[in-house]
Short mmCIF file of all heavy atoms in Angstrom, two decimals:
data_model
loop_
_atom_site.label_atom_id
_atom_site.label_comp_id
_atom_site.label_asym_id
_atom_site.label_seq_id
_atom_site.Cartn_x
_atom_site.Cartn_y
_atom_site.Cartn_z
N ILE A 133 -1.78 0.11 -25.08
CA ILE A 133 -3.11 -0.48 -25.31
C ILE A 133 -4.23 0.55 -25.14
O ILE A 133 -5.31 0.39 -25.69
CB ILE A 133 -3.32 -1.74 -24.42
CG1 ILE A 133 -4.53 -2.56 -24.87
CG2 ILE A 133 -3.44 -1.35 -22.94
CD1 ILE A 133 -4.40 -3.16 -26.25
N LEU A 165 4.77 -9.86 -24.63
CA LEU A 165 4.25 -8.49 -24.65
C LEU A 165 4.07 -7.94 -23.24
O LEU A 165 3.89 -8.68 -22.28
CB LEU A 165 2.88 -8.45 -25.35
CG LEU A 165 2.76 -9.02 -26.76
CD1 LEU A 165 1.32 -8.89 -27.26
CD2 LEU A 165 3.73 -8.33 -27.73
N TYR A 181 -9.02 -3.69 -21.15
CA TYR A 181 -7.69 -3.49 -21.77
C TYR A 181 -6.86 -4.77 -21.68
O TYR A 181 -6.16 -5.15 -22.61
CB TYR A 181 -6.93 -2.33 -21.10
CG TYR A 181 -7.58 -0.99 -21.34
CD1 TYR A 181 -8.33 -0.38 -20.35
CD2 TYR A 181 -7.44 -0.34 -22.57
CE1 TYR A 181 -8.93 0.85 -20.56
CE2 TYR A 181 -8.04 0.88 -22.80
CZ TYR A 181 -8.78 1.48 -21.79
OH TYR A 181 -9.37 2.69 -22.02
N PHE A 182 -6.94 -5.42 -20.52
CA PHE A 182 -6.22 -6.69 -20.35
C PHE A 182 -6.73 -7.72 -21.35
O PHE A 182 -5.96 -8.49 -21.93
CB PHE A 182 -6.37 -7.22 -18.92
CG PHE A 182 -5.72 -6.36 -17.87
CD1 PHE A 182 -6.28 -6.24 -16.60
CD2 PHE A 182 -4.53 -5.70 -18.12
CE1 PHE A 182 -5.69 -5.46 -15.62
CE2 PHE A 182 -3.92 -4.91 -17.14
CZ PHE A 182 -4.51 -4.80 -15.89
N ALA A 183 -8.05 -7.74 -21.54
CA ALA A 183 -8.63 -8.71 -22.48
C ALA A 183 -8.15 -8.43 -23.90
O ALA A 183 -7.83 -9.35 -24.66
CB ALA A 183 -10.16 -8.65 -22.41
N ARG A 184 -8.06 -7.15 -24.25
CA ARG A 184 -7.57 -6.80 -25.59
C ARG A 184 -6.11 -7.19 -25.74
O ARG A 184 -5.67 -7.61 -26.81
CB ARG A 184 -7.76 -5.31 -25.85
CG ARG A 184 -9.17 -5.02 -26.35
CD ARG A 184 -9.54 -3.58 -26.27
NE ARG A 184 -8.67 -2.72 -27.05
CZ ARG A 184 -8.63 -1.39 -26.93
NH1 ARG A 184 -9.40 -0.80 -26.04
NH2 ARG A 184 -7.85 -0.68 -27.68
N MET A 185 -5.33 -7.03 -24.67
CA MET A 185 -3.93 -7.43 -24.72
C MET A 185 -3.81 -8.94 -24.95
O MET A 185 -2.96 -9.41 -25.69
CB MET A 185 -3.20 -7.06 -23.42
CG MET A 185 -2.70 -5.65 -23.35
SD MET A 185 -1.61 -5.16 -24.73
CE MET A 185 -0.26 -6.31 -24.56
N TYR A 186 -4.68 -9.70 -24.28
CA TYR A 186 -4.59 -11.15 -24.45
C TYR A 186 -4.91 -11.54 -25.89
O TYR A 186 -4.25 -12.43 -26.47
CB TYR A 186 -5.52 -11.89 -23.47
CG TYR A 186 -5.25 -13.37 -23.48
CD1 TYR A 186 -4.15 -13.89 -22.81
CD2 TYR A 186 -6.05 -14.25 -24.21
CE1 TYR A 186 -3.85 -15.25 -22.86
CE2 TYR A 186 -5.77 -15.61 -24.26
CZ TYR A 186 -4.67 -16.10 -23.58
OH TYR A 186 -4.37 -17.43 -23.63
N ALA A 187 -5.88 -10.87 -26.48
CA ALA A 187 -6.23 -11.14 -27.88
C ALA A 187 -5.03 -10.82 -28.79
O ALA A 187 -4.71 -11.58 -29.71
CB ALA A 187 -7.46 -10.33 -28.29
N LEU A 188 -4.34 -9.70 -28.51
CA LEU A 188 -3.15 -9.33 -29.29
C LEU A 188 -2.05 -10.37 -29.13
O LEU A 188 -1.35 -10.72 -30.08
CB LEU A 188 -2.59 -7.98 -28.81
CG LEU A 188 -3.18 -6.70 -29.36
CD1 LEU A 188 -2.46 -5.52 -28.73
CD2 LEU A 188 -3.03 -6.65 -30.88
N PHE A 189 -1.89 -10.82 -27.89
CA PHE A 189 -0.87 -11.82 -27.54
C PHE A 189 -1.11 -13.10 -28.35
O PHE A 189 -0.18 -13.67 -28.93
CB PHE A 189 -0.98 -12.08 -26.03
CG PHE A 189 0.01 -13.04 -25.44
CD1 PHE A 189 1.35 -12.73 -25.37
CD2 PHE A 189 -0.43 -14.24 -24.88
CE1 PHE A 189 2.26 -13.60 -24.78
CE2 PHE A 189 0.47 -15.12 -24.28
CZ PHE A 189 1.82 -14.79 -24.23
N GLU A 190 -2.37 -13.52 -28.42
CA GLU A 190 -2.71 -14.72 -29.19
C GLU A 190 -2.47 -14.51 -30.68
O GLU A 190 -1.96 -15.39 -31.37
CB GLU A 190 -4.17 -15.09 -28.95
CG GLU A 190 -4.38 -15.71 -27.59
CD GLU A 190 -5.60 -16.61 -27.58
OE1 GLU A 190 -6.69 -16.15 -28.00
OE2 GLU A 190 -5.46 -17.78 -27.18
N ALA A 191 -2.84 -13.34 -31.16
CA ALA A 191 -2.64 -13.04 -32.58
C ALA A 191 -1.14 -13.00 -32.90
O ALA A 191 -0.69 -13.52 -33.92
CB ALA A 191 -3.30 -11.71 -32.94
N ALA A 192 -0.37 -12.39 -31.99
CA ALA A 192 1.08 -12.26 -32.21
C ALA A 192 1.76 -13.63 -32.22
O ALA A 192 2.78 -13.82 -32.89
CB ALA A 192 1.70 -11.37 -31.13
N LEU A 205 3.22 -12.57 -20.94
CA LEU A 205 2.31 -11.44 -21.05
C LEU A 205 2.35 -10.72 -19.71
O LEU A 205 1.82 -11.21 -18.71
CB LEU A 205 0.89 -11.92 -21.39
CG LEU A 205 -0.17 -10.81 -21.54
CD1 LEU A 205 0.23 -9.77 -22.59
CD2 LEU A 205 -1.52 -11.42 -21.89
N MET A 207 1.36 -7.84 -17.40
CA MET A 207 0.38 -6.77 -17.16
C MET A 207 -0.25 -6.96 -15.79
O MET A 207 -0.34 -8.07 -15.29
CB MET A 207 -0.67 -6.72 -18.27
CG MET A 207 -1.43 -8.02 -18.52
SD MET A 207 -2.50 -7.89 -19.98
CE MET A 207 -3.52 -9.37 -19.74
N GLU A 219 -7.42 -12.35 -16.97
CA GLU A 219 -7.39 -12.16 -18.43
C GLU A 219 -6.15 -12.75 -19.08
O GLU A 219 -5.90 -12.52 -20.26
CB GLU A 219 -7.53 -10.67 -18.78
CG GLU A 219 -8.86 -10.05 -18.36
CD GLU A 219 -10.08 -10.64 -19.10
OE1 GLU A 219 -9.90 -11.38 -20.08
OE2 GLU A 219 -11.21 -10.36 -18.66
N GLY A 220 -5.33 -13.47 -18.31
CA GLY A 220 -4.25 -14.22 -18.95
C GLY A 220 -2.83 -13.72 -18.74
O GLY A 220 -1.90 -14.22 -19.38
N ALA A 221 -2.62 -12.74 -17.86
CA ALA A 221 -1.25 -12.30 -17.57
C ALA A 221 -0.46 -13.45 -16.96
O ALA A 221 -1.01 -14.25 -16.20
CB ALA A 221 -1.26 -11.12 -16.58
#
Side-chain angles (χ1 to χ4, degrees):
I133 194 64
L165 305 180
Y181 293 103
F182 294 146
R184 276 164 60 194
M185 277 305 300
Y186 190 78
L188 276 180
F189 183 68
E190 286 206 308
L205 180 56
M207 56 187 193
E219 296 295 349

